[in-house]
Amino acid sequence: MNLQCIIVDDEPLAREGLELLVRETGFLRLIALCGNAMEASQILSQERVDLMFLDIEMPRVRGIDFLKGLTVRPEVIITTAYPHFALEGFELNVLDYLVKPITPERFLRSVNRARELMESRQASSPAVDFFFIKCNNSYEKINYDDILYIEGSQNYVTINTRLGKFMTLATMKSVEEQLPPGRFMRIQKSFIVAVNKIQSLSGNEVTIGTYKIPVSKIYKEELMQLIDKHLIKR
């Protein structure tokens, strides 16, 4: 199970060190590096974020205050040089509290806990293979198995299926949060594809049926990991 994460820290060296640890795990996908709470807030409003690494002492808005202001939030791992904030952090129900400098062993223990928690939630949730959208003047049932790819444009999302196209007033984030993990993958800011419908990857384009869909650099690494996992080798 891959987890989408962001790093929120005002220190460039701290962000760089965490980024290296994240990329070494194999199951964390870093979607943003944020230097302050305002940047993080924007990402959280646009993207599905499963896990946030959050520093406490930052200019303008402290990490703890930012966390208190979130009504909907991902799992949070505090990363700080100040151990005396630990009690306040755990009172806010954070997943873990890492004191800098963070060792690879301690980091891995923490993110493995995050993955196990997400997998446990996924296993305990009821199996549902569809959702509904409001399209024109009716409510349309969309089966996951019918979806080819999803395209976002401003405030609208078009769901391309084997049965046709359905447009609805929604954000890419809200649709992505509805999709079952592992079966769908975002390959560009405006495109989510059904993994089992991908026929080929050539250059920076994915082919699904007669459609050619662009792949952005930030998402191509995860797509290549998926391909390599199922690649027949000599």
Side-chain angles (χ1 to χ4, degrees):
M1 182 179 185
N2 289 323
L3 306 183
Q4 295 196 156
C5 67
I6 62 173
I7 294 170
V8 188
D9 199 309
D10 64 307
E11 299 179 5
L13 288 178
R15 291 197 301 270
E16 182 179 330
L18 274 173
E19 181 181 6
L20 289 173
L21 291 171
V22 165
R23 297 196 184 283
E24 287 175 354
T25 63
F27 61 86
L28 294 178
R29 181 157 71 86
L30 182 64
I31 61 173
L33 289 165
C34 305
N36 55 58
M38 283 69 74
E39 291 177 11
S41 181
Q42 184 175 3
I43 296 298
L44 290 174
S45 69
Q46 297 174 345
E47 304 273 358
R48 190 198 90 232
V49 178
D50 302 309
L51 181 62
M52 176 167 62
F53 298 96
L54 180 64
D55 185 28
I56 289 181
E57 289 297 336
M58 295 187 293
R60 299 182 67 181
V61 180
R62 295 168 66 244
I64 290 290
D65 297 326
F66 173 56
L67 198 55
K68 288 178 180 178
L70 292 177
T71 53
V72 179
R73 73 184 203 197
E75 291 298 329
V76 176
I77 294 176
I78 295 291
T79 59
T80 180
Y82 304 96
H84 57 276
F85 287 116
L87 179 59
E88 190 174 4
F90 283 118
E91 286 176 346
L92 289 170
N93 200 30
V94 300
L95 184 66
D96 207 347
Y97 192 99
L98 303 182
V99 179
K100 301 172 184 176
I102 302 167
T103 66
E105 294 79 13
R106 182 68 180 86
F107 178 84
L108 191 59
R109 196 158 69 242
S110 185
V111 296
N112 276 333
R113 181 182 173 194
R115 180 171 63 170
E116 289 166 3
L117 177 63
M118 300 290 184
E119 289 175 342
S120 174
R121 286 177 182 170
Q122 183 180 338
S124 62
S125 61
V128 178
D129 59 359
F130 64 88
F131 60 88
F132 282 90
I133 61 168
K134 189 173 183 180
C135 186
N136 297 322
N137 295 318
S138 65
Y139 292 92
E140 298 286 345
K141 181 181 180 181
I142 307 294
N143 293 309
Y144 294 136
D145 285 341
D146 290 335
I147 299 174
L148 302 175
Y149 70 94
I150 300 166
E151 181 178 2
S153 177
Q154 296 182 346
N155 296 322
Y156 287 87
V157 168
T158 301
I159 302 173
N160 295 267
T161 76
R162 296 186 298 108
L163 306 176
K165 297 182 179 182
F166 301 88
M167 181 180 287
T168 188
L169 182 63
T171 64
M172 287 290 278
K173 179 188 176 183
S174 64
V175 173
E176 188 175 20
E177 289 176 341
Q178 184 68 43
L179 299 172
R183 294 178 61 180
F184 295 87
M185 178 182 295
R186 189 181 284 224
I187 61 169
Q188 209 242 30
K189 184 177 180 181
S190 301
F191 289 96
I192 296 171
V193 300
V195 171
N196 67 341
K197 302 296 195 303
I198 296 174
Q199 294 172 283
S200 66
L201 168 66
S202 180
N204 293 316
E205 280 188 338
V206 157
T207 299
I208 295 180
T210 59
Y211 302 104
K212 302 287 186 181
I213 305 166
V215 183
S216 66
K217 184 178 179 181
I218 190 173
Y219 295 104
K220 190 172 181 179
E221 181 180 347
E222 183 181 356
L223 181 57
M224 290 305 301
Q225 289 176 358
L226 173 70
I227 290 173
D228 187 66
K229 183 178 179 182
H230 298 279
L231 183 65
I232 295 176
K233 302 175 183 178
R234 295 182 181 180

